[in-house]
Amino acid sequence: MIGVIDTDGDCAEWTFPAEPGAVRSARAVVRGQLHGWDLDCVADLAALLVSELVTNSLRYATGPIGVRLVRPVGGDDSLLVEVSDPLPDPPREREARPEDESGRGLQLLAGSSRRWGTRPGASGKTVWFELAVPR
């Protein structure tokens, strides 16, 4: 995975080819893993945000797309989600007009997550976000 940072806790990760079916596959594995971790309370939101980021990767990058979930140890009330691709350029927020059919993914990410950001890797970048997990 591009730009992975070691984090203690339960971790699941997948790599998808840069093909249209990657979005559906990523949503499915995220929902499945979060169900397995008994985190259904954030599964729909996590799957939605992952699908936005994977869609961005498909639109702008070629090459594999990585998805990683981390549930930190110690009873932390958060879930870390990362989407990596080989494109080094960070995503840019933009103001979507009402008639635009795209351009709202990062606004959705910023408004729905506790925090988010990007970090460069040796061969690409990772966009990450953190969701609050209700106790």
Side-chain angles (χ1 to χ4, degrees):
M1 271 256 224
I2 299 163
V4 168
I5 293 177
D6 286 334
T7 306
D8 289 336
D10 293 329
C11 179
E13 58 187 79
W14 305 270
T15 302
F16 302 97
E19 300 171 355
V23 176
R24 181 177 33 253
S25 298
R27 276 195 309 262
V29 297
V30 165
R31 279 195 179 105
Q33 184 64 54
L34 294 178
H35 178 74
W37 284 346
D38 202 22
L39 294 177
D40 292 304
C41 57
V42 294
D44 286 341
L45 180 55
L48 172 66
L49 297 176
V50 164
S51 70
E52 290 291 333
L53 293 176
V54 171
T55 298
N56 282 351
S57 291
L58 284 174
R59 183 169 289 145
Y60 300 109
T62 59
I65 300 165
V67 175
R68 182 174 183 240
L69 305 176
V70 179
R71 185 173 70 167
V73 294
D76 193 354
D77 62 346
S78 65
L79 173 71
L80 176 64
V81 182
E82 301 173 329
V83 176
S84 302
D85 66 47
L87 185 69
D89 303 327
R92 293 184 331 217
E93 276 189 85
R94 66 182 186 93
E95 194 72 31
R97 297 180 310 240
E99 65 274 9
D100 289 346
E101 293 188 16
S102 64
R104 293 175 182 82
L106 291 179
Q107 291 174 349
L108 182 63
L109 180 68
S112 302
S113 62
R114 181 184 281 173
R115 58 191 183 121
W116 73 280
T118 63
R119 68 176 176 272
S123 60
K125 64 152 172 334
T126 297
V127 179
W128 59 269
F129 62 90
E130 185 180 273
L131 295 179
V133 175
R135 290 184 174 215

